[in-house]
Each structure stands twice: as structure tokens, then as C-alpha cells.
Amino acid sequence: MLSYNINKHRSGLLQALLLLFVALSFSACKDDDVDQKVKDDAQIQQYFKANNIDTATVVKTNSGLYYQLLREGTGERIYPGDRVSVDYLGTLLNGTKFDSSYDEGKEPIELTVGVTKVVLGWQEGLQLMRVGEKARLFIPSHLGYGTRRDVPAIPPNSPLVFEVEVLEIL
């Protein structure tokens, strides 16, 4: 009987320690996420200064996405569920191009907003646009590829710059 109570007490203590460990691990992850968002924002702000981008022409959303209108569109606004055709150029903040629909042999991308698997920054940014519009999206890493290491041309935790042009709603 005494050994049962000791084992029961140890089991409860182990469970409490495990729960504490898990909670601390999650809080550390959240701190890392916040730290990375702050780093990304500072890098994007530095990019604006280095490239003489007037911050009055850039809108920051609640998620941390920056949107800069390059050419107004005259067509319909884009909504979740719309299937759109988009031309784009993607670069890192250092100017290194990693993808573009303008490259020889490439076509505009066709995607369904909110459904097709593209980075979250695209999903949000496209919903700020209308047909015919061209914009630059400054995408912090948490709305891009985050810590992923399986995208060869994009290092983990990299903010991205995309010039996107909505060609049409399909």
C-alpha cells in the first residue's frame, strides 16, 4: 500500500514536471516567433531606407505584411475563392531573384485565392488588389517560408519581396 502511494505521488510529480516543461517550451517558441518578427520588420525597414522607398507609400497590415501600390488597377477587387492569373517577380531583400513568371519559358501563375498553397503573404496581399493592379509585397518570414529549409533558393527566416500584377480573374 505504501509503495502504491509513493508511485502514485511520483507519477503525479512527473506529470506536473512534464506539463511545466511543455509549457516552457511553447513560451520559448512564442518568444522566438516574436523576436523573429521584430528582426524581419527591422530588416524590411532597413530595405526601405537603403532603396529610398518612401514609407508614406507603403501600408503595413496587422499581420506584418507591407503593401506598396505601384500601379492602380481598374478591374474587379480580388476576394477569397477567386481564381486569378498573376505575373510576379520574387527576390530576397539583398536583391537576389529566386523566382519569376517573367523568365523565358514561364507563364503567369494561376491560383485560387485562399485555397491554392502559396505563401500567406500572397494570400493576404492579393486580397488587397484588383485586376490590372501592380504592387510590391514585403513579406516577413512568418508569412513566407518561415524556418523551412526545403526551399533551396530561400534561406530560413528570410523576408521576401514580390512584385505582383493581377492579370485577370479566370
Side-chain angles (χ1 to χ4, degrees):
M1 176 87 145
L2 181 59
S3 76
Y4 171 75
N5 285 337
I6 291 172
N7 288 337
K8 185 176 177 184
H9 178 71
R10 282 185 187 161
S11 175
L13 182 59
L14 286 174
Q15 287 177 344
L17 287 172
L18 180 61
L19 182 60
L20 178 62
F21 175 75
V22 169
L24 289 174
S25 295
F26 278 123
S27 72
C29 288
K30 294 224 183 268
D31 288 345
D32 289 347
D33 290 346
V34 169
D35 289 346
Q36 187 59 50
K37 288 177 183 178
V38 169
K39 287 177 188 175
D40 288 351
D41 199 65
Q43 289 177 26
I44 292 170
Q45 291 292 328
Q46 181 59 39
Y47 179 90
F48 293 160
K49 287 179 187 166
N51 291 279
N52 297 316
I53 295 174
D54 180 1
T55 55
T57 67
V58 181
V59 175
K60 183 179 181 184
T61 68
N62 289 336
S63 71
L65 173 74
Y66 285 90
Y67 169 88
Q68 181 184 34
L69 179 65
L70 300 176
R71 184 185 70 229
E72 269 193 67
T74 57
E76 295 179 50
R77 179 155 300 285
I78 308 302
Y79 293 99
D82 285 344
R83 184 152 179 79
V84 296
S85 176
V86 178
D87 263 328
Y88 66 93
L89 167 66
T91 63
L92 301 176
L93 291 180
N94 67 11
T96 302
K97 178 176 81 170
F98 58 83
D99 197 11
S100 174
S101 66
Y102 298 105
D103 289 346
E104 188 174 330
K106 291 210 108 173
E107 301 277 328
I109 188 172
E110 294 180 0
L111 64 110
T112 303
V113 178
V115 176
T116 303
K117 291 188 178 186
V118 293
V119 295
L120 293 174
W122 267 55
Q123 298 289 354
E124 181 180 353
L126 287 172
Q127 293 176 59
L128 300 172
M129 299 179 71
R130 56 181 64 247
V131 173
E133 192 162 298
K134 187 171 187 174
R136 192 173 291 131
L137 305 176
F138 302 94
I139 301 176
S141 63
H142 72 279
L143 297 176
Y145 292 98
T147 59
R148 288 177 51 182
R149 298 183 184 280
D150 61 337
V151 185
I154 302 174
N157 294 319
S158 292
L160 308 172
V161 180
F162 278 98
E163 283 192 15
V164 295
E165 180 180 5
V166 179
L167 303 175
E168 63 181 319
I169 296 176
L170 303 171

